[in-house]
Structure formats: structure tokens, C-alpha cells
Amino acid sequence: MAKVISFSNQKGGVGKTTTCVNLAAYIALSGKKVLVVDMDPQGNASSALGFFERTDKKSVYEVLCNNLSVGSAVKKTEIENLFIITSSNNLAGAELELAQVVIGRERVLEEKIEEIKAFYDYIFIDCPPSLGLLTVNALCACDGVVVPIQCEYFALEGLSQMMNTIKLVKKFLKPEISVEGVVLTLYDSRSKLSKEVGSEIDKFFANKVFSVKIPRNVRLAEAPSYGKPVALYDNKCAGAVAYKALAEEFSEKIK
Ligand code: ATP
Ligand code: MG
């Protein structure tokens, strides 16, 4: 049975997608079977894995709102053990459509994921930067949450709002859910601020913070425009080395 992990932080641009996609790629390259589900209407995880089409009719939107069978929405990527359910422009409307569902609107994705859990080792859900129904569906569908946090001055701001959402989901919808890990991203080991924010986050999340930190690295930002995870774009750059190490730490801790 797959371990289902949501990559979530309602703050935008903190490295959710970069972490989700590159961790998924390195774990798949280590021989495990991994599925990425792109729950963000921006579709960044889809393009980062080579799917730039925004009007495809076999996307997560059709699975959530049009009864497309989840299995037929799964696409192969360039990496052998790595699969994806892509996002599309329509997904922006799913938030409103799901809101009309009277019973169980928070659990539509969970129900779909249940059908395919047996086929993968990990299912990674890339969340949008918001706490709406798409994110709540992702939280209900997962066993645990990984929170990427950018080491900058306002890093902790808004985090309590997300922790509260996770608490509410845990209380009313999914008692098993917890924060499984925190990834420090865009980390500059020479900057005093990065270190200070890093130790604040260590205090806040106690032993949840992964010891591998992700440095700012331009190759990580370039790779998505070629539709490739960094493993296929530049496997030697500092960002690649960090995500590879994080994948090892992650697979050890989260099984
Ligand atoms: P959103 O909230 O919009 O979904 P996000 O949290 O998923 O954003 P990303 O898309 O992963 O964040 O990253 C935001 C931007 O920063 C992207 O352009 C990405 O390529 C770049 N980026 C992410 N991590 C790094 C890094 N470690 N070094 C350099 N650039 C990075
Ligand atoms: Mg993103």
C-alpha cells in the first residue's frame, strides 16, 4: 500500500512543487514506484515532469468532477517508475464545483486515491498555495504532510493557520493525519537569517525537520522549463545532490 504524502504550505513559492517533483524523481530512480498527483490549477508539477498541455481531458479535474476513472488519468513520465496525474486549467473551477457537493466534498480525492493505492510505494500530492477545498481534499487523501518552508523572515507567518487546518482535518475528517516532515528550502548556509529562521523552525517542529536542507540553486529553477526533474537535467549540481540526499533521508524515515 502506498504511503500518501501531501506537500503543503499555503504560502506561495516556498518550494512545494520543486520538492514534490524532485523527491518523487529520486525515489523513483531508486526503484520505488511513485505517483505524483498535481492538485494545483497552476500545473507546475505537470510541466516540471514534461506535461505542458493545459486542456487535456484526462486530468485530475475529470477524476474529481466528471467521474473519469482514476486509473485512466495516470500518465507515464520519462522516468521508468514515475507516474503522474496532471492538472489542467479546469481545475481552478473544481473548487466551486466541489463546494456544491452536499455530502463528502472533502473526501472525493481520498476515495479516488484508495482505488490505486495498492499499485504504488508512494503517492505525492502537490498542493496549491491556499487552504481551500483542493487542499482539504489533498489533506484528507494523505497519510501525512510534508511542509516545505523557505528560510526567510516571514517563514513562520501563516504557518499557524495551516497547522490549524491540519488540526481540524485531523479532528473531524482524518484522525491519522500528521505532519511527517519539514523541508528547509532556498537555504543559504552562509546567511545569518537562514540560520536564525532555521533554528526557529527547529524549535517549532521539534524533531520533524529533515536534516538535509535544500540550497538556492539556479539549476533547480531551470529544470522545469525543460520539463525535467533535476535528476535528468543536471544530476551533479548542488540542488540535485541535496534532493538525492533528501530522498534517501525521506525513504528511511517515511515508509
Ligand atoms: P506555489 O505556491 O506557486 O505552488 P511552490 O511552493 O510550489 O509555489 P516552487 O514552484 O517549487 O514553489 O518554487 C517557486 C520558484 O522558486 C520556482 O520558480 C522554482 O523554480 C524556484 N525554486 C524553488 N526551489 C528553489 C531552489 N532551491 N533554488 C532555486 N530556485 C528554486
Ligand atoms: Mg507549486
Side-chain angles (χ1 to χ4, degrees):
M1 272 296 170
K3 184 90 181 179
V4 186
I5 300 291
S6 283
F7 291 77
S8 189
N9 184 340
Q10 90 271 22
K11 209 172 163 81
V14 296
K16 293 181 285 295
T17 304
T18 306
T19 301
C20 174
V21 162
N22 288 304
L23 257 192
Y26 276 115
I27 293 173
L29 285 168
S30 80
K32 303 239 168 64
K33 214 172 156 189
V34 187
L35 172 69
V36 170
V37 180
D38 189 350
M39 279 291 273
D40 185 350
Q42 297 179 101
N44 297 148
S46 305
S47 33
L49 290 175
F51 294 89
F52 293 95
E53 163 89 60
R54 286 283 162 273
T55 52
D56 180 73
K57 291 284 180 285
K58 284 189 172 174
S59 72
V60 73
Y61 169 79
E62 285 74 23
V63 173
L64 294 172
C65 298
N66 283 353
N67 256 326
L68 176 70
S69 86
V70 61
S72 58
V74 174
K75 299 178 175 88
K76 285 183 176 173
T77 72
E78 216 179 320
I79 291 175
E80 195 183 334
N81 287 314
L82 183 60
F83 299 83
I84 183 167
I85 299 180
T86 55
S87 161
S88 65
N89 288 339
N90 285 340
L91 189 59
E95 195 101 36
L96 282 176
E97 286 186 51
L98 287 169
Q100 329 255 311
V101 177
V102 181
I103 293 172
R105 60 186 160 201
E106 297 93 351
R107 315 201 78 144
V108 182
L109 182 65
E110 180 187 28
E111 207 182 311
K112 305 290 181 178
I113 297 271
E114 284 299 327
E115 292 177 32
I116 50 168
K117 250 179 143 168
F119 304 126
Y120 300 94
D121 296 300
Y122 292 100
I123 298 177
F124 285 177
I125 308 173
D126 188 31
C127 293
S130 66
L131 292 173
L133 262 180
L134 290 173
T135 293
V136 171
N137 262 272
L139 293 177
C140 284
C142 72
D143 304 303
V145 186
V146 165
V147 186
I149 300 180
Q150 184 178 346
C151 289
E152 45 152 33
Y153 188 58
F154 291 115
L156 288 168
E157 200 172 82
L159 218 57
S160 57
Q161 211 184 331
M162 200 187 76
M163 296 311 290
N164 197 41
T165 303
I166 294 174
K167 218 174 8 185
L168 289 173
V169 168
K170 192 177 172 71
K171 183 170 174 190
F172 293 108
L173 297 162
K174 182 104 181 181
E176 314 84 289
I177 195 183
S178 63
V179 173
E180 294 267 0
V182 172
V183 182
L184 302 186
T185 62
L186 295 135
Y187 191 84
D188 178 358
S189 57
R190 289 164 309 179
S191 128
K192 197 167 157 235
L193 181 63
S194 261
K195 281 189 193 145
E196 280 171 6
V197 174
S199 66
E200 279 295 296
I201 294 167
D202 267 334
K203 268 186 243 157
F204 191 83
F205 286 100
N207 51 2
K208 295 282 166 78
V209 184
F210 287 107
S211 63
V212 175
K213 298 171 177 59
I214 308 300
R216 187 178 289 279
N217 176 244
V218 68
R219 306 299 267 172
L220 289 172
E222 287 166 3
S225 60
Y226 295 90
K228 289 181 191 300
V230 76
L232 300 184
Y233 177 65
D234 181 356
N235 192 31
K236 297 257 161 63
C237 70
V241 171
Y243 273 115
K244 196 172 182 191
L246 183 66
E248 281 166 23
E249 188 182 1
F250 180 96
S251 319
E252 269 306 303
K253 281 194 181 148
I254 303 176
K255 290 182 175 146

